[in-house]
Amino acid sequence: MQPAKINYKIYQGSTFQETFRWESETKVYVPISSIAKAAPCVVTTTTPHNLPIGWRFRVVGAGGMKEINSTGEEYHLSTLIPTTTTVEINQVNSLAYTAYTSGGVIEFNQPVSLAGYAARMQIRETVDSATIIHEATTQNTQISLDNTTKTIQITLLANVTQAFTFSTAVYSLELYNGNNVIPFIYGNLTLVQEVTR
């Protein structure tokens, strides 16, 4: 797996929190049985979709309600109501859309199971630096893995970022299960100095 490069600003003395989701390259297609004209829009599938909350997906090939079909746009599952065959798209108001007639699928990348994995992240001034500015891990609870929601969450509390003095730095985060190490994300960090303190 090739890690994603994501650069961040960290605000000194403020909590830094980011959530990630690990998607496989395998596509899942779940047939649609109905789409309501509603705010927010509600899509019902013929079988359970098994989408975790917050997972991104697309609506493709829906008949009648052409406006809902994704043309590069992705939606995010906001809540399960009332079963796993219902998808609420909070960011879409479909009241003025054309009525749904038939067909279509919700399409998404299959989540990767986080079972058995732990995570670690290091911040250094440069890639070659021997000094670790900060290390976050699942063991010190600054990284949490949730296999139900399929999320990887980094949380650096304000007392941690308050101690940062670098101008710029680099970081990387790995997932590992025994000797199986997966580079997940990496990038540059810029520290924005605290004004209100």
Side-chain angles (χ1 to χ4, degrees):
M1 171 180 165
Q2 183 172 342
K5 182 174 183 179
I6 308 175
N7 299 328
Y8 286 108
K9 288 183 179 178
I10 292 182
Y11 292 84
Q12 187 183 43
S14 297
T15 298
F16 174 84
Q17 189 169 69
E18 288 293 330
T19 302
F20 307 94
R21 293 169 174 82
W22 187 7
E23 301 178 342
S24 74
E25 294 184 3
T26 302
K27 293 284 188 183
V28 178
Y29 304 94
V30 185
I32 294 169
S33 60
S34 67
I35 306 176
K37 295 179 70 172
C41 180
V42 176
V43 178
T44 303
T45 57
T46 59
T47 57
H49 51 73
N50 298 318
L51 273 169
I53 294 291
W55 207 259
R56 63 181 187 154
F57 66 94
R58 302 170 66 220
V59 176
V60 180
M65 192 179 286
K66 303 289 188 184
E67 303 94 333
I68 197 71
N69 289 320
S70 299
T71 54
E73 181 178 5
E74 294 174 333
Y75 305 121
H76 292 85
L77 180 64
S78 53
T79 184
L80 299 175
I81 57 164
T83 68
T84 56
T85 58
T86 305
V87 174
E88 180 181 286
I89 310 174
N90 185 261
Q91 62 267 46
V92 174
N93 174 355
S94 60
L95 287 170
Y97 285 8
T98 309
Y100 170 79
T101 55
S102 64
V105 295
I106 62 170
E107 171 190 311
F108 58 93
N109 289 69
Q110 187 172 40
V112 175
S113 174
L114 297 170
Y117 279 94
R120 57 191 173 219
M121 181 185 87
Q122 291 182 351
I123 300 173
R124 297 174 188 262
E125 193 166 342
T126 66
V127 173
D128 298 326
S129 176
T131 302
I132 299 171
I133 295 172
H134 187 75
E135 183 168 41
T137 66
T138 42
Q139 286 76 22
N140 67 19
T141 69
Q142 293 178 9
I143 303 176
S144 61
L145 306 182
D146 188 326
N147 201 34
T148 301
T149 59
K150 308 298 182 189
T151 56
I152 302 157
Q153 187 172 77
I154 302 167
T155 304
L156 305 181
L157 294 176
N159 64 315
V160 172
T161 67
Q162 178 66 56
F164 291 165
T165 57
F166 61 84
S167 296
T168 59
V170 294
Y171 79 96
S172 69
L173 183 146
E174 299 175 333
L175 300 171
Y176 62 96
N177 185 348
N179 289 325
N180 183 26
V181 179
I182 308 295
F184 191 70
I185 56 170
Y186 74 103
N188 302 315
L189 299 175
T190 302
L191 185 68
V192 179
Q193 292 188 343
E194 187 175 20
V195 175
T196 303
R197 55 186 184 273

